[in-house]
Amino acid sequence: MRIVVHGQQAFGKAVLEALLNRGEEVVAVYVAPEKEGQKADPLKEAALAAGLEVRQPSSYKDEAVAEAFRALKPDLQVMAFVTLFVPSEFLNIPTHGSIQYHPSLLPAYRGASAINWPIIKGETTTGLSIFWPDDGLDTGDVLLQKTTEIGPEDTLGTVYFDRLFPMGVEAMLEAVDLVKAGNAPRIKQDEALATYEGLCRAANAKIDWGKPWSQIDRLIRGCNPAPGAWTTLDGQTLKIFDATPLPAKSPKGIAGKLGEIASVEEDGFLVVCADGRFKVTRVQADGEKKAPAHEWAAAAGLQKGARFG
């Protein structure tokens, strides 16, 4: 079966390499074009190293781009992390169509921040979908799904890199096998269960110390490593990546104003929230690298009684 891999970044590279390692016939690789001054995409580098043709159109609405794709005589397009819009006319060119990876259990959490939001909203389960893309955003028929738990200490990074990334590569291979065998499902998404969330941006990641510790905890974990939950001190932004919630058991467990530094310790500092405190242990100041919180506190001269905005 003649396969075209379409994607970018580490996930696209991993899918390509997995297909090649088991002897699949990959006839070309489509990669998003790099911006000026940007490094070559990891998928592009892997494709070139394997001697494959790489194509990087800026749009898939151009008939010339579609004609060049048809000339490959593709049987299946495997889409591994695609950000450009691809119209259905292009998706349907391969004999068996196109399949795409999405890191949620569709129809829930459609959109580009499908890993952040389940953590932020307190879900205990998430997963991935391999689906047949159409002209909608993550609306196509589902081919297969895999689930994974979200633990109380999980972050965006652990859920994706430890589970949804490797599970996704394996799921792509499983989906290709189903297509080759001629029994790949096409399960309609239930629109009554559909949800869509916009990008999780910096504007969504501001910490409100007046919220309960559980909400702040989920925000910090759901934004780690990107976009990074943040707060301000004396007009300066500080991103907080690692922080342990300390729920109050008595008034002494709060004992301060919202956002106030309750103490500065050898391994971090304590911040007051609505129903407890947080032990902050890893941060990033503007223009600086991520650092242990106690190192930043010492350099910034952080004192008990200072207050985050």
Side-chain angles (χ1 to χ4, degrees):
M1 187 163 67
R2 295 172 63 81
I3 296 174
V4 171
V5 173
H6 187 165
Q8 59 188 2
Q9 301 303 326
F11 184 72
K13 175 185 177 184
V15 169
L16 171 64
E17 291 177 340
L19 289 168
L20 293 175
N21 286 342
R22 69 176 203 170
E24 298 291 350
E25 184 183 6
V26 178
V27 295
V29 174
Y30 282 71
V31 185
E34 299 94 353
K35 295 179 182 177
E36 187 175 349
Q38 193 176 34
K39 282 185 176 181
D41 188 282
L43 172 57
K44 177 180 180 179
E45 292 182 324
L48 292 174
L52 297 171
E53 180 182 357
V54 175
R55 297 180 179 180
Q56 296 181 276
S58 58
S59 172
Y60 291 88
K61 297 177 182 179
D62 186 339
E63 181 55 30
V65 173
E67 277 301 315
F69 189 44
R70 287 190 190 94
L72 293 170
K73 298 182 179 179
D75 293 309
L76 180 68
Q77 179 176 207
V78 174
M79 303 175 75
F81 187 19
V82 177
T83 52
L84 286 173
F85 173 71
V86 183
S88 58
E89 291 82 0
F90 192 93
L91 296 170
N92 294 329
I93 288 173
T95 308
H96 299 290
S98 301
I99 58 174
Q100 184 167 336
Y101 167 87
H102 181 75
S104 84
L105 296 171
L106 294 171
Y109 295 101
R110 294 169 175 169
S113 294
I115 309 174
N116 305 77
W117 291 116
I119 299 172
I120 293 170
K121 291 187 174 185
E123 303 280 8
T124 57
T125 303
T126 187
L128 64 89
S129 303
I130 308 299
F131 71 106
W132 304 90
D134 56 19
D135 283 331
L137 181 60
D138 304 327
T139 55
D141 295 348
V142 172
L143 194 160
L144 65 81
Q145 294 184 316
K146 304 290 182 180
T147 62
T148 186
E149 293 183 355
I150 299 175
E153 296 182 359
D154 266 323
T155 65
L156 165 66
T158 61
V159 171
Y160 179 60
F161 291 110
D162 294 351
R163 301 200 288 287
L164 293 184
F165 186 119
M167 286 170 57
V169 175
E170 289 300 317
M172 274 296 201
L173 297 181
E174 183 179 342
V176 169
D177 286 340
L178 288 168
V179 173
K180 288 169 71 174
N183 55 7
R186 288 179 178 266
I187 303 167
K188 294 289 183 186
Q189 294 189 36
D190 185 348
E191 287 300 316
L193 302 176
T195 64
Y196 169 79
E197 286 74 28
L199 279 171
C200 184
R201 303 177 186 271
N204 305 111
K206 186 177 190 298
I207 298 171
D208 180 350
W209 298 104
K211 297 291 186 182
W213 70 263
S214 58
Q215 291 186 34
I216 298 171
D217 177 52
R218 296 197 304 264
L219 180 68
I220 292 171
R221 291 187 291 110
C223 293
N224 178 8
W230 59 278
T231 187
T232 58
L233 181 67
D234 297 329
Q236 300 298 309
T237 299
L238 183 73
K239 289 185 177 181
I240 294 178
F241 291 98
D242 293 331
T244 302
L246 304 171
K249 298 180 180 179
S250 70
K252 289 183 180 179
I254 301 175
K257 298 177 181 178
L258 298 176
E260 185 177 359
I261 305 301
S263 66
V264 180
E265 303 177 351
E266 290 185 357
D267 57 348
F269 54 85
L270 298 183
V271 187
V272 176
C273 69
D275 55 356
R277 297 176 176 181
F278 273 86
K279 178 68 164 288
V280 178
T281 53
R282 188 162 171 259
V283 300
Q284 183 179 27
D286 272 346
E288 299 180 14
K289 295 181 179 180
K290 295 175 185 176
H294 69 277
E295 292 182 5
W296 171 81
L302 187 67
Q303 298 291 322
K304 176 181 178 181
R307 194 173 178 187
F308 285 119

